[in-house]
Each structure stands twice: as C-alpha cells, then as structure tokens.
Amino acid sequence: MNRAAAVDAAYRRCERITRREARNFSYGIRLLPKQQRRALSAVYATARRIDDIGDGHLPPDEKLARLDQVRAALHRGPGTSAGDPVLLALHDAAQRLPIPLEAFDDLLEGCAADVRGTTYAAFDDLLWYCRCVAGSIGRLSLGVFGTGASGRAAELADALGIALQLTNILRDLREDRENGRLYLPKDDLDRFGCTLELDGDGFADPPDRLAALVRFEAGRAEQWYETGLQLLPMLDARSAACTAAMAGIYHRLLARIVHDPLVVSRTRLRLPARAKAAVAVRALVRRTV
C-alpha cells in the first residue's frame, strides 16, 4: 500500500472510531468539510486512546506508563507513525492544518490526574483540570478550523471547554462516584453540606441539599457557556455550525439537569438521537445553541 492509500485508510479508521465512540461530538464533526472532518476525527481518535487508558482496568502505574508512551509517540513526529493508523492520520492532519499537537500534553496531564485519583479543594483547582481535558480539545479544534490556537479565540474556546466539562461532571456524577472519582470541589461540598457518598441507588445526601449543590454548579457552567459561545462569530460558517452543534447538545443536557437536578443521582442523562440531530440541523441553519 502506497503512502497516500495508507493515509486515506488511516483517516477512515479515525472516522469509524469517531462515529462509534463520539456519541455527542460526532453530530458536529459531520458538519465540517472533508479535510477538517477527517482532521478532527483524527484528533478525537487520539483523545479517545488517551481516555481509554485512563478509564481502563490496568493498575495505575501501568496506566501512567502507557500515557507516557503516548506522549513520546506524539512528540516523535510524523516519520515514526507509519505503523499506527491513528497517529498517521493525526500527523498528516497537523502537516496540513495549524493543529497544536502540544495541547495533547495538557490532556495527558488531566488524564494522569484521574489515574492518581486527584481531588479538588477549590473551584480554581477544578478549573485547572477542565482546562487540561477540555480546553486542550478546544485549542486543537481551533487548529483544525484554521483559526489558530492563541489570542481571544483560544480564550473563548477554553471557556467553552470548561462549560462542556462542567456539564460532563454533573451528568456523570453518580457514575464517577461509583468508579471512585470525585470532581466537585470540597469547598462547594462543604458549603452545601454534601459528601456525595453513595447509598444504595443514589447519594446519601439530603435531596434538597444535593439539588441545591447541582443547581449551583449548573449555574457556574451556564456562565462559562455565556462566555464561550462568543467564539461562534469568530469562526467560518461550517466551523461555527460544528461548534454550535457540539455545544448545543451539552447545553441541552445542562438545561435538563437544571430542570431536575436529582436526575444525576438516578441515571446518566442522555439526549435521544432525534434530539441531537435536531440540535445539529439547527446549528447548521442558524449556528446557534
């Protein structure tokens, strides 16, 4: 197989991974032109590899070693990725578009924090984590869009990433606790008199206190959406539609959490596929969320 065919096959592999695993982001990625769609799929497939290491069942030391291996492979450059379809596609995309691959270092740091079981004393500490795992994806996406990963656009992409990650944290509150992870800051837990200790089918905290805590965190997320969505007018039409679709799906999830904050203690909230498709269509037509 010649290089062009190998690269094409590598991109197809990344697109399959994205369609299979990116149940929310794939709706936005589909709205991009071919070159950007393939590039963002390569970014997602690489990020998925990192997340899968962190969420896997290996001992922590082995997870950290594998994260270091991914970091080293990313830094070795395009000449060493021929045997790895995901990295082959990613390095090809980075040669065509201004994708800041060094942003993956932040994602790796955030994933390592998960492996180590890091908890967060104050909201500023949690912001560091959100910027690592979600702001990094925002900066990578700006590179795919051709906007550049610095200046005001990068600040707004970072803010939008924080909004999405805070929504993720609230949506996955029970699942994360079942897996031994706790993201909400201790200062906030103390403020509302909550521990988020599990008790049978939910949390042991009094429902009124838990609901108040969740609404408080949702209000924070809403403020970050308000800032981050100012990015849309700075993007070209298709990139703005992609971003609006991704953000819109998570924004809808946040609205449902605000409407029924105790839902996060019962289940992992999801939007039906029809609702996600509707958000994507609206984003393509109006570029709004």
Side-chain angles (χ1 to χ4, degrees):
M1 184 184 297
N2 62 36
R3 176 174 170 77
V7 169
D8 189 62
Y11 278 122
R12 291 199 303 272
R13 169 79 67 87
C14 292
E15 289 185 296
R16 287 195 298 272
I17 292 171
T18 301
R19 286 193 299 270
R20 183 178 70 244
E21 303 290 345
R23 297 175 182 174
N24 291 326
F25 286 152
S26 63
Y27 285 86
I29 292 174
R30 293 173 193 172
L31 303 180
L32 292 171
K34 180 179 179 180
Q35 178 174 314
Q36 292 173 310
R37 183 179 69 246
R38 288 173 20 139
L40 199 51
S41 293
V43 167
Y44 176 83
T46 306
R48 180 76 262 166
R49 174 178 293 181
I50 293 167
D51 286 345
D52 285 347
I53 293 171
D55 293 338
H57 301 293
L58 296 172
D61 287 348
E62 190 167 346
K63 287 183 180 182
L64 293 173
R66 293 203 178 190
L67 291 175
D68 285 341
Q69 290 169 7
V70 172
R71 188 193 308 272
L74 285 166
H75 283 276
R76 278 197 294 269
T80 62
S81 56
D84 187 326
V86 171
L87 290 184
L88 178 61
L90 180 69
H91 283 130
D92 182 78
Q95 289 179 309
R96 300 171 186 272
L97 296 165
I99 301 173
L101 295 185
E102 64 274 9
F104 278 113
D105 288 342
D106 288 339
L107 179 59
L108 287 158
E109 285 299 317
C111 189
D114 283 341
V115 172
R116 296 186 182 103
T118 303
T119 56
Y120 304 96
F123 185 65
D124 282 349
D125 301 320
L126 180 60
L127 283 182
W128 169 84
Y129 174 78
C130 292
R131 288 190 168 103
C132 282
V133 299
S136 59
I137 302 301
R139 296 191 295 278
L140 289 159
S141 298
L142 287 182
V144 171
F145 299 155
T147 306
S150 61
R152 180 61 174 163
E155 293 175 5
L156 295 175
D158 190 65
L160 190 54
I162 291 168
L164 299 181
Q165 189 60 32
L166 290 175
T167 304
N168 252 343
I169 288 170
L170 291 176
R171 180 196 64 183
D172 298 343
L173 203 61
R174 177 176 166 181
E175 181 179 334
D176 284 336
R177 289 303 283 136
E178 290 172 342
N179 292 325
R181 292 179 181 174
L182 176 60
Y183 293 102
L184 295 187
K186 186 177 186 302
D187 283 355
D188 294 350
L189 298 179
D190 292 345
R191 175 177 180 174
F192 290 93
C194 292
T195 64
L196 294 185
E197 293 298 327
L198 293 170
D199 181 20
D201 294 331
F203 292 105
D205 300 305
D208 58 334
R209 294 183 186 176
L210 179 61
L213 170 65
V214 171
R215 285 201 175 101
F216 175 76
E217 302 297 352
R220 274 183 165 159
E222 188 62 47
Q223 292 176 342
W224 287 100
Y225 277 111
E226 183 177 346
T227 299
L229 290 172
Q230 296 175 41
L231 174 66
L232 297 183
M234 302 177 68
L235 304 176
D236 66 83
R238 297 283 284 276
S239 298
C242 170
T243 304
M246 293 177 180
I249 289 170
Y250 279 86
H251 209 181
R252 292 283 184 90
L253 284 171
L254 185 68
R256 292 194 175 192
I257 291 170
V258 171
H259 177 71
D260 179 11
L262 295 181
V263 70
V264 300
S265 69
R266 300 191 298 268
T267 187
R268 187 178 192 267
L269 188 63
R270 292 182 173 88
L271 283 186
R274 181 181 299 178
K276 294 178 184 179
V279 171
V281 170
R282 184 182 178 205
L284 185 60
V285 173
R286 301 182 183 179
R287 301 194 299 281
T288 62
V289 298

